[in-house]
Amino acid sequence: ANSTSNLNTKTTTKTDMAMADTTESELAILVCSANVGNAEPTPQSFGEWVPDDGEIEGPLAQTKYPVEADGAAEVSASFSGTRKKFDIIVIGMQEAAFVEKSMNKHRSAGDLDDSNRSGNNGNGNKLFRKVVHANMIARGCSAEIGGGGVVVDAVSDGLIEAKKEGSKGKHKIFRKVAKTNLLLRGLTTSQSTYKSPKLRHSQRDHLKDRIKENSAVRPGSYDTRKFQELIENRCPSYSMVAAKLRGEMRLIVLALKDLTEEISDVYIAGENTGIGSVLANKGGIITTFNLRGTRLSFMTCHLEAHEGATHYMNRNKNLAEIFAGARTDPHFNLHDATIISHHMFVCGDLNYRIKFGDTEPTTKRKSGKRTVNVKKQLTKKNLNSPMASGPESPPPPVPDQPAAEERAIHFAQAKALVDAEDWKTLNDGDELAMALKKKECLVGFTTLPCNFPPTFKVARGEGYQYTEKRTPSYTDRILWKSAHGMADNVVPFLYEPCPDFITSDHKPIRGGYVVKMNRGLPVQPSTPMPTANSITHNDRQVQLLVSGIKCTNLPVMDAEILGGLSDPYILFVSSPKPILWKKAWPSTKVIKRNLNPVWEEDIHLSLDRDGCRDNEGNISLNGSMLYMTVMDEDFSSGDDVIGTVELSLNDLCSELDTTRGQNEHSSSVTRSFSTQRTVISRPILRNGQEFGMLECTISSAYLTAKETNTFLKSAKKVRSKTKKRSVTNRIFGLLRNP
């Protein structure tokens, strides 16, 4: 008997999930993101952003912008009248570095230099010293830059000299040096590079390997102590799971104290995308951990600023660079966090702006009686210069940033839409929404529409006082991505800005999500799996047959001198690893010089029973993944990862009758076996970007050895070999990856 399942078919709706009784299988997660503006937040501002001891009901009762997603209303209703807390709170911050206001300048410079020396054995950093030296020379300060103590003396002397001369630039000197010291924190991180001897690493990767790592947030710096104080006072019921400071960026993960014992395999890594991809004013931090059979990842990031096409493209590039550089779990050296996570959340100051087209946006105010034509509202006062908007004044070429007149027009358009509360039109012009639709970044990620005022750029104070220097935009965002077969396991129920956060030119944002854990999911197939004891008398195993494999539109991976094409093959990687690992991963053969390869062979995969066992010893595929990773073979160097298609083994085997074999003996009972066929057509992903398509058909069955032979008879050129490295590949791979 054969059955065919569609890849995207779901048996459980979000509404059903939301109406189900809350059990330990569901966790409430709060993601908070704020660009702090390099200013110390007041306790009142912090309290407007992070709920009092993580209570859920308060934010839900006070929100002005209820979420309209599927199942959100039911989830919100289930929390009403309860004192339930968020199980996990994620706090991502950008521009989160500041010094104590009451410090005298000598002490400030000294404390900052102590922060610089942390993790560097007091020797400082050559790049930092050059930057500080250049700063001081540009401002008439000369000094010999040597060890850390000399830096303190030089900076202090420069400040004193500026004070004696009554220079108006003395505060700028201090702020510049202070900021440089703070940015230096990003040069020492907790990231560890884990290599596969068969992968190619660029020279930039080797340079990064030499940067000294520092695994902890320094408790001695004033801003770190202040944030710890705010968190401890605000969230006394929580313990810190992960904390990382990288330049001006911070990522802190809190969990309820009775939940922390269940969290394991916590990894954290970061990547800088600032000047020269070295300074940490821009970049990201990712943490990954396992909880109740579910691999969760959280990322905070700060992307390139400013309006314009070039900056938009650089933001997309920044995201890919962060995913590529911030590899967390060392067990997955082939894959980035977007691939290995069952659920991943991305938050931060993404800096995507609102962009208007040539059409004049008109909208009705909330009353429905008044129509606003934003161009008619433009005056010389809006533009700060005579308006030139007629046909006799053709628009100038598109620059990296809009000209003052164009910027003023955009500001007036956006401000009129905000006043009219026309969130739909504002969202239609959102660059991030456009990028997601065009698959130019964060492919596979989802975000809710921003049905609230833009979070940037505002005057520091209560409410939304937009400054005319920038077009009001939704720069601060939260997105998430779920692995194949798990999209319905996340229900968003809260998404809002925090207008009473007064110390930044951004308004923070927060989002609440109910996430169903894999351990609590019904075991698939729907009938009980055989227990560990019964399986000793049962030689059945789950068998997969992958056929009709082809890829289209693969990228060029080889240099033009070598043909300018690719030499693709596919690795079949499993999580957990023992399911398929046999000293190497199963693979297809290599097809030379082809960007649209078709494999005239079928791949047989036999799932190891022991690798499928849960903590109770039963066989379960909940959370188990199959990664079809497309590789490019290089004869004289390490191979390159083109991208991966992630598949849920649970979904691929959901219709199998695995109770067979418990009460029967294969020698005396002869029955037909059932198979499940799943047609796959999915994008090949790497670092949140798409690199072609992969198509195939996967047949699965739960079979004895004899039935497996019958199962494979219909296959053509069955291949079950693993990918083996040639002698040349091994030698050159080791030379490139010592």
Side-chain angles (χ1 to χ4, degrees), residues 216-227:
V217 173
R218 287 172 296 282
S221 60
Y222 171 77
D223 46 6
T224 295
R225 295 198 309 270
K226 192 63 182 179
F227 280 123

Side-chain angles (χ1 to χ4, degrees), residues 554-663:
L554 294 181
V556 173
M557 302 296 290
D558 296 336
E560 188 173 349
I561 193 174
L562 299 177
L565 295 171
S566 296
D567 305 313
Y569 65 93
I570 297 176
L571 287 178
F572 296 85
V573 181
S574 65
S575 175
K577 185 176 181 177
I579 292 179
L580 288 178
W581 178 261
K582 293 179 176 60
K583 297 184 178 180
W585 295 115
S587 74
T588 65
K589 67 179 182 180
V590 178
I591 296 181
K592 296 291 185 179
R593 302 182 62 189
N594 199 322
L595 301 181
N596 297 282
V598 177
W599 282 270
E600 300 293 339
E601 60 181 352
D602 294 346
I603 304 299
H604 172 223
L605 306 174
S606 182
L607 306 192
D608 184 84
R609 284 193 300 263
D610 292 335
C612 301
R613 296 190 193 281
D614 59 19
N615 292 338
E616 286 72 38
N618 299 324
I619 289 183
S620 171
L621 293 177
N622 287 339
S624 298
M625 303 299 297
L626 172 64
Y627 302 117
M628 296 181 65
T629 300
V630 185
M631 305 288 295
D632 170 56
E633 184 181 60
D634 285 317
F635 178 75
S636 60
S637 64
D639 296 351
D640 298 309
V641 177
I642 296 177
T644 298
V645 171
E646 54 175 35
L647 299 170
S648 167
L649 285 171
N650 206 36
D651 270 28
L652 296 177
C653 304
S654 61
E655 300 175 12
L656 300 186
D657 179 11
T658 54
T659 59
R660 295 185 59 192
Q662 297 184 71
N663 300 311

Side-chain angles (χ1 to χ4, degrees), residues 67-132:
V67 171
E68 299 177 358
D70 224 7
E74 291 82 356
V75 169
S76 299
S78 69
F79 291 129
S80 178
T82 69
R83 296 187 61 83
K84 180 172 173 56
K85 302 178 186 298
F86 285 101
D87 298 284
I88 295 174
I89 298 178
V90 180
I91 300 176
M93 292 180 279
Q94 311 83 43
E95 294 189 5
F98 49 83
V99 295
E100 189 174 3
K101 294 180 181 179
S102 61
M103 282 183 175
N104 61 61
K105 296 182 178 61
H106 292 276
R107 185 182 171 194
S108 296
D111 280 359
L112 287 169
D113 185 65
D114 288 342
S115 174
N116 165 42
R117 290 198 303 268
S118 177
N120 278 305
N121 299 321
N123 294 324
N125 184 281
K126 291 183 179 179
L127 176 59
F128 161 74
R129 294 198 295 273
K130 290 179 180 179
V131 173
V132 174

Side-chain angles (χ1 to χ4, degrees), residues 429-465:
D430 175 40
E431 282 186 338
L432 179 58
M434 298 177 189
L436 294 175
K437 185 177 181 179
K438 295 177 182 178
K439 296 184 177 181
E440 293 180 340
C441 71
L442 294 171
V443 178
F445 280 79
T446 301
T447 187
L448 292 174
C450 298
N451 295 322
F452 45 75
T455 58
F456 175 83
K457 177 179 174 116
V458 297
R460 298 178 190 248
E462 295 182 357
Y464 301 93
Q465 302 287 332

Side-chain angles (χ1 to χ4, degrees), residues 20 56 58 126 137 151 181 193 281 295 304 392 535-536 538 576 587 615 720:
I56 300 176
K126 291 183 179 179
I137 290 175
V151 173
N181 273 280
T193 302
N281 60 323
R295 189 178 302 104
E304 182 166 319
E392 69 278 1
I535 234 164
T536 57
N538 174 24
S587 74
N615 292 338
S720 57

